[in-house]
Amino acid sequence: MSLNYASLICAAALTVVAVSACNSDSSSSRPATDDELMQYLVGSNLRFGMAHDLIRDTDTITQTCLFGSRYRDEWDDETDAFLGYWDREQEILLPPHAELECLSWRWNDDLIPVKTNGSELAERAMDEIERVFNRHVFDRHSIANVPDDEIDAGIIVSMGTSPVPDGADPRAFCANVAVGPNDLSPISNNIWQDDASYEIDFPVFINLGNPDCSPNLNIVIHEFGHAMGLEGHFPGFGMGGAISNNFWLVLFSLYNNPPGTREQDLLLHRPFGF
Ligand SMILES: [Zn+2]
């Protein structure tokens, strides 16, 4: 896949981590190791979770657990151990009051409601995800005729509403996933604001295209990956290509661990022969 193509995907990234990592093409022809795939899953999806009486910092939760805003002055360089972080009141919390847990989050095991708004590419993207998963994943009917702004939970494909920042190249912002149309807010922001179920149970918008750019099938599959919980990019997902074997293994593994799985309890699933 060309560098142009990779950078185009990267420009649609939602997280600072992903954007900053996009300048280097980290793709490789060798298969990723299990350790690398686990690192990709943790970096892309896991976030600081509710830890007992701890109130999370809304800035902190948008960071990944691998690159999170742990309190630097309390960082122990010798052991690389987590020692504390800020709460919502900007107070520094230290153990035992600040037990850090990195937790997964995703849609639950029910079929994911999807409204395509007539996008043929979205249908084909779902077909491909269900072919690889070898099961039904999506409910394509229950919200199909519900107005976008009346949908309580589901993936809403929104045509032509990919936001383009002022002065940016619209071809570099061809598609994104956010909490609304023409929006840049990461969906993980909403995970922590309700019941700490670690489930996506709210409207998630896949914004496809703008007047100067139309995404192809692989980009649409890539965006479904974002909408299913892979928030950050990694090699083979927005870095060195829109999707790849790495993408499929990380997405499949996310959906074969329960929502809210702790980092240390995550299991990698590698059933595809690659
Ligand atoms: Zn992306």
Side-chain angles (χ1 to χ4, degrees), residues 1-266:
M1 210 153 297
S2 73
L3 279 175
N4 269 351
Y5 186 70
S7 61
L8 182 141
I9 296 293
C10 281
L14 295 173
T15 67
V16 173
V17 170
V19 170
S20 63
C22 277
N23 291 329
S24 62
D25 181 356
S26 303
S27 64
S28 167
S29 55
R30 70 164 174 78
T33 66
D34 287 1
D35 283 350
E36 287 170 331
L37 290 169
M38 186 62 79
Q39 182 181 335
Y40 302 156
L41 173 56
V42 170
S44 180
N45 172 260
L46 269 66
R47 297 293 182 271
F48 298 119
M50 182 73 78
H52 304 290
D53 58 346
L54 186 66
I55 300 172
R56 289 176 304 271
D57 176 350
T58 53
D59 291 329
T60 301
I61 61 171
T62 63
Q63 304 294 318
T64 72
C65 284
L66 283 185
F67 308 104
S69 53
R70 300 167 186 186
Y71 184 53
R72 290 294 170 185
D73 288 350
E74 298 294 336
W75 190 274
D76 185 336
D77 290 329
E78 289 292 310
T79 63
D80 202 30
F82 166 78
L83 292 179
Y85 62 109
W86 288 295
D87 70 4
R88 201 185 293 271
E89 306 304 322
Q90 302 300 313
E91 298 290 330
I92 298 167
L93 297 179
L94 300 173
H97 304 292
E99 179 180 327
L100 179 70
E101 286 191 313
C102 287
L103 300 169
S104 70
W105 53 279
R106 62 169 175 81
W107 294 91
N108 67 22
D109 289 328
D110 297 337
L111 297 181
I112 303 169
V114 177
K115 180 182 181 184
T116 65
N117 278 310
S119 169
E120 177 66 22
L121 282 176
E123 296 283 358
R124 290 170 57 194
M126 290 189 286
D127 290 346
E128 184 64 5
I129 291 167
E130 292 185 329
R131 186 189 68 78
V132 173
F133 276 39
N134 195 30
R135 67 172 176 85
H136 287 299
V137 175
F138 303 103
D139 157 18
R140 311 187 191 201
H141 304 292
S142 67
I143 62 171
N145 297 311
V146 179
D148 290 2
D149 59 5
E150 294 178 15
I151 290 172
D152 292 328
I155 294 174
I156 301 161
V157 179
S158 181
M159 307 299 285
T161 55
S162 183
V164 181
D166 283 347
D169 180 353
R171 292 167 299 176
F173 289 84
C174 200
N176 89 329
V177 166
V179 297
N182 289 303
D183 197 294
L184 288 165
S185 303
I187 62 174
S188 64
N189 284 0
N190 283 9
I191 285 289
W192 315 113
Q193 290 175 0
D194 47 14
D195 55 2
S197 67
Y198 314 112
E199 293 176 4
I200 307 172
D201 55 4
F202 47 83
V204 171
F205 281 76
I206 297 180
N207 294 303
L208 287 187
N210 57 53
D212 296 301
C213 185
S214 298
N216 62 27
L217 176 60
N218 278 0
I219 292 179
V220 178
I221 295 172
H222 175 103
E223 299 304 333
F224 266 90
H226 282 313
M228 292 172 71
L230 297 184
E231 197 148 84
H233 289 154
F234 52 82
F237 180 60
M239 299 166 62
I243 58 172
S244 66
N245 290 350
N246 289 355
F247 162 74
W248 290 116
L249 291 168
V250 170
L251 187 65
F252 188 81
S253 292
L254 176 62
Y255 277 80
N256 279 274
N257 286 275
T261 299
R262 299 184 303 170
E263 179 179 4
Q264 58 268 37
D265 296 330
L266 278 175

